[in-house]
């Protein structure tokens, strides 16, 4: 079984995701609309949940994970990407913030345990073929 990616790398991916989602909301609302709208943070969270779930199911990771060369795979040893519903549940749990902060010794947070997934480095995934 492949080891989970480091917390630093996963946090970096989250920062890339959040910046990209914020940029999308700013482009839709305009800079003034974004800074004046009290719900802009909720819009950004919604974009993150949708983007993360869709990209995780379709490509094996959110935009930030793809950029930082991480992948989300099933924890059953098959190393295949998640289906859409587990990916959506995982993204929703990440948006709640608490599940990623509660984790097992193997580095998998509650969001990964609920979705039966793990985040791994692309290099490690390719190494096993």
């Amino acid at each position: 079984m492949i080891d989970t990616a480091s917390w630093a790398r996963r946090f970096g991916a989250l920062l890339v995701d959040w910046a990209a989602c914020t940029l999308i909301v700013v482009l839709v609302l305009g800079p003034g609309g974004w800074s004046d709208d009290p719900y802009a943070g909720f819009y950004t969270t919604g974009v993150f949940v949708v983007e993360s779930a869709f990209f995780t199911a379709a490509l094996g990771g959110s935009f930030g994970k793809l950029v930082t060369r991480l992948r989300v795979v099933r924890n059953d040893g098959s190393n295949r990407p998640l289906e859409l519903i587990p990916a959506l549940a995982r993204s929703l749990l990440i948006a709640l913030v608490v599940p990623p902060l509660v984790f097992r010794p193997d580095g998998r947070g509650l969001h990964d345990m609920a979705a039966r997934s793990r985040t791994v480095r692309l290099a490690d995934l390719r190494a096993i073929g």
Side-chain angles (χ1 to χ4, degrees):
M1 178 104 34
I2 301 172
D3 289 338
T4 56
S6 71
W7 280 105
R9 194 115 181 230
R10 289 187 274 173
F11 185 71
L14 181 62
L15 289 178
V16 171
D17 276 326
W18 201 257
C21 293
T22 300
L23 180 61
I24 290 168
V25 173
V26 169
L27 290 173
V28 170
L29 297 179
W34 177 75
S35 63
D36 293 338
D37 192 329
Y39 298 108
F42 291 110
Y43 303 151
T44 302
T45 303
V47 170
F48 168 77
V49 167
V50 171
E51 172 269 326
S52 180
F54 177 76
F55 280 2
T56 296
L59 303 172
S62 65
F63 175 73
K65 284 189 175 47
L66 297 175
V67 167
T68 57
R69 304 185 59 76
L70 297 174
R71 295 299 183 269
V72 176
V73 296
R74 297 175 193 208
N75 196 46
D76 62 5
S78 69
N79 295 324
R80 294 180 321 189
L82 299 179
E83 293 176 353
L84 185 57
I85 298 302
L88 180 60
R90 183 181 186 282
S91 296
L92 285 168
L93 288 171
I94 291 170
L96 292 175
V97 180
V98 174
L101 298 177
V102 178
F103 54 92
R104 295 174 43 122
D106 67 358
R108 295 173 54 230
L110 290 177
H111 61 296
D112 277 324
M113 289 183 274
R116 297 186 180 123
S117 65
R118 68 178 45 245
T119 300
V120 299
R121 293 180 334 121
L122 180 59
D124 294 339
L125 193 57
R126 286 185 175 162
I128 65 162

